[in-house]
Amino acid sequence: MKWQGLINKYKEYLPVSNKTPIVSLNEGNTPLIFAPHISSLIGEKIKVFLKYEGLNPTGSFKDRGMTMAISKALEDGAHAVMCASTGNTSASAAAYSARAGLKCIVLIPKGAIALGKLAQALIHKAHVIAIDGNFDDALTLVKEITNKYPVTLVNSLNPYRIEGQTTGAYEVCDQLGSPPDILSIPVGNAGNITAYWKGFKRYQEAGKIESLPKMLGFQAAGAAPIVNKKIIEDPKTIATAIKIGNPASWQSAEAARDESNGLIDSVTDEEILNAYKILSSKEGVFVEPASAASVAGILKLAQNNYFTENDEYNIVCVLTGHGLKDPDRAIKSIEEPVIIPAKVESVLKEIGFE
Ligand SMILES: *Cc1c(COP(=O)(O)O)cnc(C)c1O
């Protein structure tokens, strides 16, 4: 059957009814791609797969939660929605609000949003306001305003966001034909690790899968409150999507870690950029830096002999957002092309055919 978005596909697992006006851009159904090069770096019998969430309609997994949050906001009679954002939430909220005819207000930390994401929020006509503060400050303001005024909060504190994002877990199981042994995922505000764990447990209760994966979450070293067990007042990392010092879903992320016998660790910006380059140059998959944290994490664990060589198993790395989101970072990571005369001889010389 034709793909009509994830609410249509997984409605029996989601809090929707026949009365819910579904606002969809046909999100979900993103590819699960085998990664031969990364697999070979991890271990002989280990298969690594990439859940390429950058191929959602606005280029990140946020669309999974947003189709639910905006549909439910419309069902509840809302006229306006609001979010704080490191970028992708605002891009997604702006697009789905445009589609639904809702007003969308976005608070962003000044100067800290990747160019592609800012362009998206603006082109979809959200009311974008930059504050002189970081993401955590922006979220505090949004919580206060949405508590008092008739504006629906669409950050991942909105339970429908998490519900929509559980579908990532269902898809991974459906695509693999079984649950993965390990799920590796970047952690920022910690909504997505919460959602995946909830999704796996729900699929098990429904009898769709037998076992549950181990959950591995990775924060950026300069923005690793869960790893360091303390709020980070001034988080720092080039991975702007996970530059968060006080995650809203802190406790449920710890629960996912502990119940699954997994871990939450940190990776440095250097490790993130290394994985970012391996993904693009060896696997052909272009992601934004935050997404590469899931791959950087398993490469780090492999170096520390975390994975037992003798067992055959599957690891799924969630690649949360598309590389085109952050063109500045891409340009910083490449060598500028050479400029040569427009002559056959010059081209041949440059490519070594002479
Ligand atoms: C939002 C986001 C994250 C972090 O997800 P949380 O649910 O906040 O932990 C990671 N990567 C990208 C690309 C994102 O947009």
Side-chain angles (χ1 to χ4, degrees), residues 22-103:
I22 296 177
V23 182
S24 173
L25 293 166
N26 290 11
E27 59 294 311
N29 199 24
T30 57
L32 186 71
I33 306 168
F34 176 55
H37 182 79
I38 295 169
S39 300
S40 74
L41 297 176
I42 301 288
E44 226 171 282
K45 295 185 174 166
I46 297 174
K47 286 203 173 81
V48 177
F49 294 87
L50 310 170
K51 182 64 171 159
Y52 194 17
E53 290 288 275
L55 294 194
N56 275 296
T58 77
S60 84
F61 76 85
K62 298 297 197 298
D63 295 341
R64 292 184 185 276
M66 209 53 74
T67 182
M68 275 298 297
I70 298 295
S71 297
K72 293 303 281 190
L74 211 55
E75 183 175 357
D76 296 340
H79 295 287
V81 302
M82 188 172 189
C83 63
S85 182
T86 60
N88 282 331
T89 296
S90 61
S92 186
Y96 283 82
S97 296
R99 181 92 185 173
L102 293 174
K103 185 173 168 53

Side-chain angles (χ1 to χ4, degrees), residues 59-62 86-89 117 156 161 165 186-193 241-242 244 288 290-291 319-322:
S60 84
F61 76 85
K62 298 297 197 298
T86 60
N88 282 331
T89 296
K117 305 175 189 181
S156 57
R161 280 276 311 276
Q165 289 169 211
V187 174
N189 222 9
N192 214 22
I193 189 172
I242 52 172
I244 290 174
E288 64 170 282
S291 308
L319 301 181
T320 45
H322 202 286

